[in-house]
Amino acid sequence: DSGVTQTPKHLITATGQRVTLRCSPRSGDLSVYWYQQSLDQGLQFLIQYYNGEERAKGNILERFSAQQFPDLHSELNLSSLELGDSALYFCASSVVKGGSWETQYFGPGTRLLVL
Amino acid sequence: DQQVKQNSPSLSVQEGRISILNCDYTNSMFDYFLWYKKYPAEGPTFLISISSIKDKNEDGRFTVFLNKSAKHLSLHIVPSQPGDSAVYFCAAHPMNQGNLIFGKGTKLSVKP
């Protein structure tokens, strides 16, 4: 158990809908990262938050947004969903801001299926 | 353009033998490289890392080798055990950035 929790574990929805994925980092970790893993692909970095502030953006679509709350949990919002958004979404956390090296610990992921 | 490449989608090894997983990268601005192991329905689990200023790091049965001139790293598992059967992801950490860049993974099967 990495100490990173994600809910829900599975999510099935229809095209055009909006969903929210939730992540609680390990105790003491200030940085949260979101990654997307599509079928047979590696993990693609979406966005990073540090202590409530956005720190870095990767290949995140404009239909997607995220935030980190004062208690450090994070939510990833996916809207106007398309079939191609079906994927595993992982959250990871680490202690430091990023930029300097620190191991990232991953949650179990949320499997999203868009029908 | 993939910056981190794992060219073997799968590898099958006999229990007790050595497993060698390979990874190539194209960017010289990575300062750390990592290996993660992933079981089905679980998140990636950190396995071992290596700084770009080193050429070898060992942790029990797991050893990572880095060849900077060839932009290549490998993970050696000796001896391989059936419980090592999983997907192994190579990842690289760009300098001055927080995120990791992952390869597509290699599925290792260790047969009893």
Side-chain angles (χ1 to χ4, degrees):
Chain A
D1 184 357
S2 68
V4 179
T5 60
Q6 288 187 249
T7 57
K9 198 168 178 64
H10 301 277
L11 199 49
I12 301 175
T13 188
T15 55
Q17 295 298 305
R18 173 189 168 94
V19 296
T20 297
L21 313 183
R22 183 189 168 103
C23 167
S24 292
R26 293 187 319 155
S27 177
D29 284 0
L30 300 179
S31 264
V32 169
Y33 311 79
W34 287 97
Y35 291 85
Q36 177 193 55
Q37 185 187 16
S38 302
L39 190 64
D40 295 331
Q41 297 292 315
L43 283 73
Q44 299 289 322
F45 170 66
L46 295 178
I47 196 164
Q48 178 202 356
Y49 275 81
Y50 173 77
N51 204 20
E53 294 185 3
E54 181 184 304
R55 274 301 173 195
K57 266 187 173 180
N59 300 321
I60 188 166
L61 300 171
E62 285 192 12
R63 300 183 285 109
F64 296 0
S65 64
Q67 53 185 328
Q68 187 179 27
F69 295 86
D71 67 351
L72 300 178
H73 91 271
S74 178
E75 293 181 356
L76 179 67
N77 301 297
L78 315 177
S79 61
S80 304
L81 285 167
E82 302 175 359
L83 296 178
D85 297 328
S86 296
L88 273 167
Y89 291 85
F90 290 103
C91 167
S93 73
S94 68
V95 172
V96 296
K97 188 180 294 189
S100 60
W101 161 246
E102 186 67 33
T103 300
Q104 293 182 20
Y105 295 89
F106 283 80
T110 294
R111 183 175 293 277
L112 172 67
L113 180 60
V114 183
L115 300 175
Chain B
D1 182 28
Q2 267 194 291
Q3 297 185 60
V4 177
K5 297 180 183 180
Q6 293 177 259
N7 292 318
S8 299
S10 62
L11 175 67
S12 184
V13 170
Q14 207 66 32
E15 180 179 5
R17 306 294 291 267
I18 184 171
S19 295
I20 301 177
L21 297 104
N22 294 303
C23 179
D24 297 298
Y25 62 96
T26 58
N27 190 336
S28 298
M29 298 303 288
F30 294 135
D31 58 358
Y32 276 88
F33 299 89
L34 307 85
W35 286 93
Y36 281 84
K37 178 171 72 173
K38 186 181 179 304
Y39 293 118
E42 294 184 12
T45 302
F46 171 71
L47 199 54
I48 191 169
S49 65
I50 187 168
S51 165
S52 62
I53 63 173
K54 308 258 184 180
D55 54 21
K56 178 182 174 181
N57 187 27
E58 191 172 352
D59 184 2
R61 296 186 298 114
F62 303 91
T63 303
V64 56
F65 295 93
L66 176 61
N67 182 334
K68 286 183 288 293
S69 60
K71 292 192 173 65
H72 177 85
L73 67 155
S74 60
L75 174 68
H76 293 210
I77 306 174
V78 184
S80 300
Q81 300 172 353
D84 296 330
S85 298
V87 177
Y88 289 78
F89 289 99
C90 171
H93 179 262
M95 289 180 199
N96 301 317
Q97 294 183 32
N99 60 288
L100 296 173
I101 298 176
F102 284 83
K104 292 187 178 182
T106 296
K107 184 175 183 179
L108 174 65
S109 298
V110 180
K111 300 185 176 180

